[in-house]
Amino acid sequence: NTRRRNPTTEFFQQWGWSFRFGYGVQFGQNNYIEPFAELGKFFLFSPWKLLKFRYLPQGVNVGTTLTRNQTHERTRNQALKKPVARSLSANRQLSFSWQFIDGGLLNPGIDYTLDVSSSLVHLEVDRFGRQRSMLSILDDMIISDKFINFGIDQGYTQNINFNTRPVVPQILKLDRIIAPSLRYSARYDWQNNFQAGSLGKSAGVVGTLTVGLDINLKVIADEIWSPQSASSALSPADTSAGSPGLMKRLDQLTRVIIKGPFFDWERLNFSFTQSNTARHSGVLGRPGFLNLFGRVPFFQESLPENGPSLLYQLGLSSDPHGEVVLGTKGQFPFVSGRTIRGRRAPLGNLTDLYTQGNKVIMRTARTLWEGARIDLNWSLGWSYNVNRTITTDSLGIPTELGRT
């Protein structure tokens, strides 16, 4: 609570409060089933005897923050005080982590976070503009058509990270030679500008795919050039074809021209990253939570009244309400896809932005001598951008006006 007055301000009063509720639960590590545990004695199922399917997440956290502020002010050169500045907002958070599979080849898991901001300032005054009591506001929040009315959604930020922990089979020592990695993340946001009405809703998504591969060159070198042969003495007198002396000389020669330049390095790391960014104005419906959790994926289509589609939120569609159609073709990669545009907010001039960035990185290092080290890094990147301007009719059917 703040009060002040000065030669220009007759009175100034500002007050505010904030209330937060949070709850978190951690589940145990024994919430899994092992479908092949009893069949592991058979050689066909022995590689999968430790496979675990986890039917519960590791933990779930929820939280709500309610914030209220008011400012009353009157300057000495004004006959009436300024309009009361009111603010009543709510923030909701949800997060969970779920490792779906352990003991398999890919071992996928997911990390999910959600932050929703909403405004309840319309509950502050009655239809005559008079201040309502906090008890009346709580009645509208709790005793309403919803379980809890958090007001009008204003902002929505969602992060989904798909993580894998690949396990390489123990065949030909591949598990010691290569270490693959695969990650995908989708950051989705939705904004609602109240002043713009039905045209004030916009959405954007950033989908990032990262593929990596580590190659242990030392293990490969040790398999080709054994340490014993390096320390063996040469026999200059023995020059007959196929004799041990000739083999030792050949071994030394390959160490100099092949092993030294190409294999006496530390791990060789390859990585490829692709980032797809899309932003659209004039989207329909709510933020899209029900399209993610209220519909059965691949069996129930996303509904426009719920907001942007599931595939859009995952960064797999270039249109917030469009339909993705997959097909086949006669050349690599033998799969093709296209997006059928969906409806948008009616009677609007809208903008669609799309950007794709690709980057390939290769790095390695080696020690030259004590105190000296060399690092090699190679990077290649390319990208493209598309800006599209569209107009919509009274039914929300889009028509493209131009693109750059």
Side-chain angles (χ1 to χ4, degrees):
N1 194 351
T2 302
R3 294 174 180 265
R4 71 169 182 264
R5 55 186 302 179
N6 52 49
T8 60
T9 303
E10 183 175 347
F11 69 86
F12 176 90
Q13 181 183 11
Q14 185 180 63
W15 59 266
W17 53 260
S18 179
F19 169 80
R20 171 169 173 78
F21 169 80
Y23 179 77
V25 58
Q26 299 297 318
F27 298 98
Q29 297 296 320
N30 298 324
N31 299 309
Y32 61 84
I33 58 175
E34 294 182 305
F36 303 110
E38 298 298 327
L39 301 175
K41 298 178 181 179
F42 299 96
F43 73 96
L44 291 178
F45 298 99
S46 58
W48 317 105
K49 63 181 179 181
L50 298 180
L51 185 66
K52 300 176 182 178
F53 291 91
R54 298 189 178 275
Y55 51 84
L56 287 178
Q58 278 65 51
V60 179
N61 297 278
V62 296
T64 300
T65 303
L66 193 64
T67 304
R68 189 185 188 194
N69 298 282
Q70 282 193 12
T71 301
H72 301 260
E73 184 179 7
R74 179 177 177 178
T75 58
R76 297 185 184 275
N77 60 357
Q78 291 181 333
L80 300 175
K81 71 175 185 177
K82 294 182 178 180
V84 180
R86 297 179 174 89
S87 174
L88 181 59
S89 61
N91 282 82
R92 289 157 283 165
Q93 299 85 32
L94 168 66
S95 65
F96 64 84
S97 297
W98 196 337
Q99 184 67 39
F100 298 118
I101 298 176
D102 275 330
L105 291 179
L106 292 179
N107 303 310
I110 184 174
D111 295 318
Y112 179 87
T113 62
L114 174 65
D115 195 316
V116 185
S117 61
S118 55
S119 174
L120 299 102
V121 71
H122 59 285
L123 301 179
E124 283 276 348
V125 296
D126 59 18
R127 59 193 180 100
F128 301 107
R130 296 174 298 193
Q131 178 66 52
R132 303 177 66 206
S133 66
M134 190 61 199
L135 184 60
S136 300
I137 295 175
L138 290 176
D139 285 341
D140 285 346
M141 290 180 58
I142 300 176
I143 305 176
S144 64
D145 56 340
K146 302 178 182 178
F147 180 69
I148 298 179
N149 180 16
F150 288 103
I152 304 173
D153 292 332
Q154 194 170 11
Y156 186 97
T157 303
Q158 174 182 271
N159 290 280
I160 305 177
N161 296 315
F162 297 96
N163 305 305
T164 62
R165 295 182 298 179
V167 175
V168 179
Q170 298 179 1
I171 301 174
L172 301 177
K173 298 185 179 180
L174 290 178
D175 58 316
R176 296 175 53 196
I177 297 176
I178 61 175
S181 62
L182 175 64
R183 296 186 301 274
Y184 181 80
S185 64
R187 185 187 186 277
Y188 164 76
D189 68 273
W190 177 92
Q191 302 294 327
N192 185 9
N193 182 5
F194 301 147
Q195 288 74 22
S198 61
L199 297 174
K201 298 176 183 178
S202 62
V205 63
V206 180
T208 304
L209 172 68
T210 303
V211 181
L213 180 65
D214 284 345
I215 302 177
N216 193 336
L217 298 177
K218 186 178 184 307
V219 175
I220 300 177
D222 290 343
E223 290 297 317
I224 300 176
W225 296 275
S226 61
Q228 290 78 8
S229 62
S231 60
S232 300
L234 295 179
S235 177
D238 192 354
T239 58
S240 58
S243 65
L246 181 59
M247 296 303 297
K248 291 176 182 178
R249 287 186 174 85
L250 182 60
D251 176 79
Q252 290 294 330
L253 181 62
T254 56
R255 287 175 184 272
V256 173
I257 65 175
I258 299 179
K259 181 177 183 293
F262 300 105
F263 288 91
D264 277 349
W265 298 83
E266 298 175 6
R267 288 182 175 271
L268 181 62
N269 174 262
F270 294 92
S271 67
F272 170 74
T273 302
Q274 183 181 90
S275 178
N276 294 280
T277 303
R279 177 153 293 278
H280 298 80
S281 60
V283 299
L284 300 174
R286 295 178 57 81
F289 183 84
L290 291 179
N291 280 336
L292 184 64
F293 292 101
R295 312 288 291 175
V296 180
F298 311 111
F299 291 96
Q300 292 180 308
E301 295 183 354
S302 298
L303 301 178
E305 56 266 30
N306 291 339
S309 66
L310 167 64
L311 293 180
Y312 182 83
Q313 296 181 50
L314 296 179
L316 303 178
S317 174
S318 58
D319 190 283
H321 306 291
E323 180 182 356
V324 177
V325 179
L326 297 178
T328 59
K329 59 182 180 179
Q331 58 185 5
F332 184 83
F334 309 111
V335 178
S336 64
R338 62 188 179 94
T339 301
I340 301 176
R341 298 175 191 169
R343 294 189 305 111
R344 303 283 283 278
L347 303 177
N349 294 316
L350 310 177
T351 302
D352 295 347
L353 307 177
Y354 181 77
T355 302
Q356 184 184 90
N358 301 273
K359 193 170 187 179
V360 179
I361 299 176
M362 182 179 69
R363 60 171 63 94
T364 188
R366 69 182 295 178
T367 301
L368 300 177
W369 58 81
E370 185 176 355
R373 174 185 173 89
I374 182 173
D375 294 284
L376 296 182
N377 293 276
W378 178 82
S379 176
L380 173 65
W382 66 97
S383 64
Y384 70 91
N385 306 308
V386 176
N387 298 336
R388 189 163 61 101
T389 303
I390 64 173
T391 183
T392 56
D393 59 16
S394 59
L395 299 178
I397 306 300
T399 300
E400 183 174 331
L401 299 178
R403 65 170 60 194
T404 56

